[in-house]
């Protein structure tokens, strides 16, 4: 019997049930899903596994570039811009192989599990060998990521990314040759070989309007529509991209995507930072989601996106750690609110409940995991427990656990992570990757130039 087929019971000392904190909750799990939720259970039932602290639905990291984890601290030396940071990133990408990428991603996804993340959206564009020659298995790099997620015990949505040009009307540069399939049609042919698995979903991504010619956008949108798959796109992260798009097409990137059928309820714009009022209306009116990545957006000095206006217009919000300057979804949630406070000089744009939803249910939905993000019968049995007795979290009343988690806790306070009913992190220790720091150090060392 596999772990997801076992029947087991978890006893939650405190559980966040979407609107309030409930003490003493027994959660019965069968076949990887929650079979029953019993409140008013003041002591653990016989044989139950105890999760002390505040248990939330598993967190979702909706935007990741796993190999960027190798850049941590290295890119903090000196100053520069997004564009100079990109050159350092390219140098690391050049050194990846399927084998080294699996080892790095395994360690990165294990770090995510330690941070309470149960699903990740991997925005994957390093497809081929340096120079653009396909591997014997053209999907070797994507398969390495899917296998790495299984090794680390978390779910993955592989957002296989189209990346065809270095700018409007420009061929890919020598770094980008390994990202490119030559055309959207060739990308679709390669990507169609990838298959969903119990822990993995296959989605699509448009790297950006500067990296995919306008006449090929519809091909990608159609591929995703036919498969009812998630479709993500970097959107208006930089003002330079907006300026170049206006020069090439006479419109904003958002309008260009709308004109080619890219926007819609299964599409998520990543960053959505520099938008016009018309852009916001197009995104919200089409039900297109927004993935904010505050720790990366501030690290790269990108700016603060109009998250409040986007949500009011109808765009669901989710969160991602993107370049992995840090991996901490609680910090991403907190930063989204605190950034808005700095900009507006007013407080309370989102409740803790709304921020937790962005960090869990809405992130899972953006990645095609619609059954995740709630502690209720029928939901995927993905749970994250936050300690309420650390130096950061001790003191507040337990009924304020959501506020404590969002505004005081950090990834270091995650004590348990359960995925599909399996205990992946127990008492702060990963059960599948024995020494995550060493795994990270070893994998990064191999890629050091």
């Amino acid at each position: 019997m596999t772990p997801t087929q076992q029947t087991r019971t978890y006893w939650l000392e405190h559980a966040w049930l979407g609107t309030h904190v409930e003490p003493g909750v027994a959660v019965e799990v069968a076949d990887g899903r929650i079979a029953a939720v019993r409140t008013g259970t003041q002591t653990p039932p016989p044989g139950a596994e105890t999760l002390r602290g505040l248990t939330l639905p598993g967190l979702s990291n909706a935007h990741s570039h796993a190999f960027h984890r190798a850049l941590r601290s290295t890119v903090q030396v000196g100053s520069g811009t997004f564009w100079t940071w990109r050159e350092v990133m390219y140098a690391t990408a050049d050194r990846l192989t399927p084998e080294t990428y699996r080892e790095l991603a395994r360690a990165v996804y294990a770090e995510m599990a330690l941070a309470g993340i149960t699903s990740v959206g991997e925005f994957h564009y390093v497809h081929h060998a340096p120079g653009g020659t396909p591997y014997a298995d053209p999907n070797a790099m994507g398969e390495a990521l899917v296998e790495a997620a299984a090794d680390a015990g978390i779910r993955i949505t592989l957002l296989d990314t189209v990346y065809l040009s270095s700018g409007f009307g420009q061929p890919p540069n020598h770094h980008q040759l390994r990202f490119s399939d030559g055309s959207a049609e060739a990308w679709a042919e390669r990507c169609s070989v990838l298959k969903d698995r119990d822990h993995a979903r296959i989605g699509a991504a448009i790297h950006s309007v500067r990296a995919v010619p306008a006449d090929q956008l519809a091909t990608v949108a159609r591929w995703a529509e036919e498969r009812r798959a998630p479709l993500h796109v970097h959107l208006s992260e930089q003002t330079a991209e907006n300026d170049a798009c206006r020069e090439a097409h006479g419109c904003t990137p958002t309008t260009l995507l709308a004109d080619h059928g890219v926007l819609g309820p299964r599409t998520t714009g990543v960053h959505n930072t520099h938008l016009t009022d018309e852009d916001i209306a197009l995104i919200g009116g089409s039900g297109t989601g927004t993935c904010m990545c505050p720790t990366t957006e501030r690290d790269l000095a990108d700016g603060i996106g109009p998250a409040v206006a986007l949500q009011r217009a109808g765009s669901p919000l989710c969160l991602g750690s993107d370049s992995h300057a840090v991996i901490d979804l609680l910090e991403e949630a907190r930063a989204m609110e605190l950034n808005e406070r700095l900009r507006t000089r007013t407080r309370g744009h989102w409740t803790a409940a709304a921020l937790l939803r962005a960090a869990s249910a809405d992130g899972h939905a953006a990645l095609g995991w619609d059954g995740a993000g709630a502690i209720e019968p029928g939901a995927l049995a993905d749970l994250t427990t936050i300690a309420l007795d650390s130096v950061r979290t001790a003191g507040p009343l337990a009924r304020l656990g959501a506020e404590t988690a969002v505004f005081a806790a950090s990834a270091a306070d995650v004590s348990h992570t359960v995925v599909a009913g399996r205990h992946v992190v127990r008492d702060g220790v990963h059960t599948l990757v024995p020494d995550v720091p060493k795994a990270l150090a070893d994998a990064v060392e191999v890629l050091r130039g």
Side-chain angles (χ1 to χ4, degrees):
M1 180 178 289
T2 64
T4 57
Q5 294 174 316
Q6 294 176 0
T7 299
R8 63 184 67 185
T9 300
Y10 288 97
W11 181 76
L12 320 183
E13 184 182 25
H14 301 282
W16 173 248
L17 299 184
T19 58
H20 66 288
V21 174
E22 183 75 25
V25 176
V27 173
E28 296 176 8
V29 175
D31 298 329
R33 290 185 177 270
I34 296 174
V37 177
R38 292 185 281 116
T39 58
T41 308
Q42 296 310 308
T43 57
E49 295 193 55
T50 296
L51 305 183
R52 296 208 174 271
L54 174 69
T55 298
L56 316 165
L59 303 179
S60 177
N61 187 354
H63 189 66
S64 162
H65 301 289
F67 77 92
H68 289 190
R69 175 59 178 81
L71 305 178
R72 188 179 293 180
S73 297
T74 301
V75 291
Q76 304 300 343
V77 178
S79 57
T81 66
F82 168 87
W83 308 103
T84 55
W85 169 90
R86 193 173 67 158
E87 292 304 312
V88 181
M89 178 271 289
Y90 283 152
T92 300
D94 286 344
R95 291 189 284 271
L96 291 170
T97 68
E99 295 74 25
T100 61
Y101 207 4
R102 179 173 178 174
E103 290 304 306
L104 176 61
R106 170 180 174 268
V108 174
Y109 296 154
E111 181 181 359
M112 291 185 192
L114 289 172
I117 292 164
T118 60
S119 75
V120 59
E122 184 60 41
F123 201 102
H124 166 56
Y125 54 81
V126 187
H127 300 306
H128 308 298
T133 301
Y135 290 101
D137 173 1
N139 287 301
M141 295 294 271
E143 292 289 354
L145 292 164
V146 171
E147 292 163 4
D151 294 341
I154 70 171
R155 304 180 192 277
I156 185 172
T157 298
L158 186 72
L159 298 162
D160 198 282
T161 303
V162 188
Y163 197 134
L164 305 173
S165 60
S166 61
F168 295 97
Q170 300 298 317
N173 66 33
H174 68 283
H175 296 295
Q176 297 162 346
L177 288 172
R178 71 180 312 191
F179 307 163
S180 176
D181 289 294
S183 69
E185 290 77 11
W187 164 85
E189 183 178 354
R190 177 185 55 75
C191 191
S192 294
V193 178
L194 292 162
K195 302 301 180 187
D196 289 352
R197 274 144 271 192
D198 286 346
H199 80 290
R201 297 284 182 270
I202 306 303
I206 293 164
H207 180 274
S208 56
V209 293
R210 71 177 185 274
V212 179
D215 62 1
Q216 301 194 51
L217 293 171
T219 299
V220 188
R222 185 166 53 252
W223 187 96
E225 177 66 26
E226 289 172 352
R227 290 159 180 77
R228 303 189 67 78
L231 173 59
H232 288 216
V233 54
H234 289 136
L235 180 55
S236 289
E237 181 179 5
Q238 294 288 323
T239 56
E241 178 182 288
N242 290 355
D243 295 341
C245 187
R246 285 192 180 94
E247 183 175 348
H249 297 288
C251 64
T252 67
T254 300
T255 297
L256 189 67
L257 294 174
D259 288 347
H260 289 84
V262 174
L263 302 186
R266 280 192 302 279
T267 299
T268 298
V270 181
H271 304 301
N272 291 1
T273 306
H274 302 285
L275 303 176
T276 66
D277 291 344
E278 292 76 13
D279 291 339
I280 292 169
L282 279 172
I283 292 167
S286 62
T288 300
T290 295
C291 181
M292 304 298 291
C293 305
T295 64
T296 290
E297 289 151 6
R298 71 190 184 197
D299 181 58
L300 296 179
D302 286 344
I304 301 171
V308 171
L310 283 161
Q311 188 171 55
R312 285 176 180 166
S315 180
L317 300 179
C318 59
L319 297 163
S321 64
D322 193 359
S323 68
H324 312 314
V326 296
I327 294 177
D328 188 338
L329 260 288
L330 300 174
E331 173 61 19
E332 303 293 346
R334 176 164 55 243
M336 188 163 72
E337 166 66 23
L338 297 187
N339 282 354
E340 197 66 23
R341 292 183 187 186
L342 282 174
R343 180 166 63 179
T344 63
R345 291 181 290 174
T346 60
R347 304 176 77 220
H349 301 276
W350 293 278
T351 64
L355 293 168
L356 286 176
R357 181 173 180 83
S360 57
D362 287 343
H364 294 300
L367 298 178
W369 298 102
D370 295 322
I375 301 176
E376 62 185 26
L380 294 174
D382 295 359
L383 306 170
T384 297
T385 302
I386 309 295
L388 295 179
D389 57 359
S390 78
V391 293
R392 289 166 293 278
T393 61
L397 296 170
R399 64 180 175 80
L400 299 176
E403 287 76 12
T404 301
V406 172
F407 292 105
S410 76
D413 296 309
V414 172
S415 53
H416 301 280
T417 304
V418 173
V419 182
R422 178 172 66 170
H423 225 139
V424 175
V425 173
R426 179 182 283 112
D427 295 319
V429 177
H430 203 290
T431 63
L432 303 174
V433 183
D435 189 340
V436 178
K438 185 176 187 303
L440 285 163
D442 290 348
V444 172
E445 178 62 30
V446 168
L447 297 175
R448 206 180 308 279

